[in-house]
Amino acid sequence: MKVFKFGGASVNSADAVRNMAQIVQSHLEPGKPLVVVVSAMGKTTNLLEKLVPGVTDDTHELRRQLEEYHLKIYKELIPCVDDADNAVQELLRKLDGRLATLQPSNEQYNYNYDQVVSFGELISTTIIAEYLNSHGISTQWLDARQLVITDNHYREGHVDWTKTQAACQRLVADKEALGCHQVIVTQGFIGGTTDGHTTTLGREGSDYSASILAYCLGAENITIWKDVPGFLNADPKYFPDTVKINQIPYNEAIELAYYGASVIHPKTVKPIQNKGIPLYIRSFITPQGEGSAIGNYHTISPETPLYIFKNNQILLSILPRDYSFIAEDNLQVIFGILSKIGIRVNLMQNSALSFSICIDNNPQLVKPLIESLKNMFRVRYNDNLQLITIRYYTQEVIDRIVAGRPILLEQRSRSTEQLVVPATSV
Ligand code: ASP
Ligand code: MG
């Protein structure tokens, strides 16, 4: 069994879905079902984030866009679909039902988020499964909320591996689902608790979903289909001359994803590394290309500096009110608050009297964080920053990237340089 993962950009229009279906079709092997994990279409997750109760008052236009976008793709792909009553509208009605009952509040934000945002994947996979079936590819749609079982840590569900494995084993044993179908389509990014609540695995979590399923189903390999030819040494959006890395050792991939290499979700590699399952990154635009492979290699090849940029960063300096040392007990309080709010620290540094953290500047989370911290600490911050990580740096490479910007925070190890700088030159 093989696992394919298609992200939002690979299914963002009817043509994109046709292209995706062609890739799937050309990889079908008799008697071997292909598990296809799909994200929400295009930028749907960003739109749904704004529909979470309490985020904005003006949801009418967003809700309309959500419907128009999906129905257009759906009808282009399946022209005979009923105008008034179809599977997508049914899901939209369910979403409306949820939106009407969820209570907007800061405490409920993470829970509400998952109940709303998960509709992106539910809708995309519904359209895609129906399209594949209409094209003679016998496809079974599966609800990932019954396969990927998590705890109730909303917006960043922790996988219950035993229960997820059991659910996957039941699927493998289910001759109806697997035996009679060429393709299994399921949602990336979402999971479910044992008591039936929807969870998500963190933004861009569909890669992780593919990896969880590959691990639990004992897949031969995973292919992640992207809009880039493979694992590049930098994001081509920010960097003109990228180099494709052909082979990446598992450990290196974990490090790179941890630092924010957006080509792959940070948690993706560990499960497949544990079972030695190779992961390929290939282009859905040029699917005949070789792509990159993550696997049991010793070094990256070719060897070259790697650059990771994280934008929209905020640097918080946390200082005890009474000039006491930032010691373990203070840090314990700070980490308790971070963990409770669900904030991931991208870089941290401490001195005698202050503790600095660089985090993504998501106002929904940063505001409550500052509020909580202020009870015990003074908090200063700088926003509109960029966090740059360079693996296998040279001084010349650092100077070129920093381009004269003031460095607010810097950390260097033998292989990795990290810098926090203003987003634009000043
Ligand atoms: N749709 C989700 C997101 O945009 C998950 C994913 O695409 O991997 O974050
Ligand atoms: Mg996405």
Side-chain angles (χ1 to χ4, degrees):
M1 185 185 307
K2 291 180 180 164
V3 175
F4 278 8
K5 181 260 167 172
F6 289 93
S10 65
V11 292
N12 65 1
S13 67
D15 277 343
V17 174
R18 288 188 194 105
N19 176 59
M20 173 251 179
Q22 239 162 41
I23 293 174
V24 166
Q25 186 150 37
S26 65
H27 286 86
L28 292 177
E29 293 171 67
K32 264 197 195 177
L34 184 62
V35 176
V36 178
V37 176
V38 189
S39 302
M41 292 178 161
K43 304 261 180 257
T44 300
T45 306
N46 293 354
L47 190 156
L48 284 165
E49 281 186 335
K50 298 194 197 114
L51 284 182
V52 177
V55 173
T56 142
D57 290 334
D58 186 22
T59 55
H60 188 79
E61 171 58 17
L62 295 168
R63 171 63 183 75
R64 192 195 61 76
Q65 283 172 17
L66 180 74
E67 176 158 347
E68 182 185 68
Y69 174 61
H70 286 100
L71 283 181
K72 183 168 177 283
I73 295 177
Y74 193 28
K75 286 184 189 163
E76 267 179 62
L77 290 171
I78 308 162
C80 61
V81 74
D82 193 308
D83 263 342
D85 192 18
N86 57 52
V88 170
Q89 276 162 336
E90 194 183 316
L91 282 166
L92 289 168
R93 277 197 294 276
K94 277 196 189 146
L95 169 64
D96 290 340
R98 296 305 325 244
L99 290 173
T101 50
L102 294 170
Q103 293 303 315
S105 77
N106 273 346
E107 296 76 60
Q108 286 291 311
Y109 172 72
N110 290 346
Y111 174 78
N112 291 348
Y113 181 101
D114 287 359
Q115 312 317 305
V116 172
V117 166
S118 49
F119 275 88
E121 272 71 13
L122 293 171
I123 298 174
S124 71
T125 50
T126 300
I127 297 175
I128 286 163
E130 205 172 318
Y131 177 70
L132 293 176
N133 273 318
S134 76
H135 268 250
I137 302 172
S138 117
T139 302
Q140 168 82 43
W141 181 92
L142 286 183
D143 191 333
R145 294 170 297 184
Q146 283 158 26
L147 276 180
V148 178
I149 309 302
T150 72
D151 65 3
N152 62 0
H153 204 107
Y154 296 103
R155 268 189 55 244
E156 185 90 50
H158 300 153
V159 174
D160 183 325
W161 290 96
T162 312
K163 292 196 175 112
T164 302
Q165 200 134 21
C168 285
Q169 287 318 312
R170 278 198 296 279
L171 172 65
V172 172
D174 180 350
K175 294 283 170 276
E176 284 253 318
L178 277 189
C180 326
H181 294 95
Q182 293 167 289
V183 172
I184 303 288
V185 166
T186 193
Q187 306 79 45
F189 180 51
I190 75 174
T193 62
T194 35
D195 50 359
H197 292 285
T198 305
T199 55
T200 64
L201 305 173
R203 280 303 305 262
E204 306 302 328
S206 296
D207 293 348
Y208 184 38
S209 301
S211 161
I212 295 165
L213 292 173
Y215 178 92
C216 291
L217 292 165
E220 266 167 69
N221 58 47
I222 304 185
T223 307
I224 297 185
W225 296 91
K226 306 272 310 176
D227 57 359
V228 286
F231 202 124
L232 304 177
N233 73 325
D235 187 332
K237 270 187 264 164
Y238 308 114
F239 216 77
D241 306 311
T242 51
V243 177
K244 179 164 77 79
I245 312 295
N246 299 322
Q247 294 178 346
I248 307 125
Y250 288 117
N251 288 355
E252 183 69 35
I254 291 176
E255 299 258 18
L256 292 169
Y258 171 80
Y259 290 127
S262 59
V263 73
I264 189 168
H265 184 275
K267 290 182 180 167
T268 307
V269 183
K270 188 174 169 285
I272 56 164
Q273 186 266 346
N274 288 169
K275 282 206 177 164
I277 301 170
L279 184 152
Y280 305 109
I281 297 167
R282 296 177 65 177
S283 164
F284 61 80
I285 301 162
T286 51
Q288 61 290 348
E290 279 249 325
S292 303
I294 297 173
N296 263 326
Y297 308 107
H298 288 297
T299 55
I300 59 162
S301 138
E303 283 183 33
T304 176
L306 300 145
Y307 306 89
I308 299 148
F309 302 90
K310 265 183 179 280
N311 290 325
N312 197 20
Q313 298 294 296
I314 182 165
L315 185 65
L316 296 188
S317 295
I318 305 162
L319 306 93
R321 287 195 175 279
D322 57 359
Y323 292 89
S324 66
F325 289 112
I326 279 281
E328 281 71 11
D329 43 354
N330 279 331
L331 293 181
Q332 196 177 4
V333 173
I334 296 169
F335 279 106
I337 296 172
L338 288 165
S339 148
K340 188 159 161 254
I341 300 179
I343 291 183
R344 183 182 169 234
V345 176
N346 297 327
L347 188 66
M348 62 186 129
Q349 190 156 295
N350 64 328
S351 70
L353 292 176
S354 85
F355 181 60
S356 300
I357 54 170
C358 181
I359 56 178
D360 295 350
N361 193 0
N362 175 353
Q364 293 294 326
L365 304 175
V366 172
K367 260 199 223 148
L369 171 68
I370 294 179
E371 286 308 310
S372 291
L373 288 171
K374 274 190 173 161
N375 295 328
M376 273 186 72
F377 306 97
R378 286 182 296 140
V379 182
R380 299 213 193 104
Y381 66 86
N382 273 294
D383 56 6
N384 203 16
L385 303 177
Q386 187 179 47
L387 168 63
I388 305 171
T389 304
I390 310 171
R391 296 273 290 166
Y392 315 117
Y393 59 85
T394 62
Q395 192 54 48
E396 188 250 310
V397 156
I398 295 171
D399 293 343
R400 185 155 42 84
I401 296 290
V402 170
R405 288 178 279 181
I407 298 171
L408 280 73
L409 200 145
E410 181 171 20
Q411 265 175 30
R412 185 176 290 195
S413 73
R414 254 182 308 166
S415 55
T416 310
E417 164 84 8
Q418 291 198 283
L419 304 138
V420 179
V421 292
T424 46
S425 342
V426 284

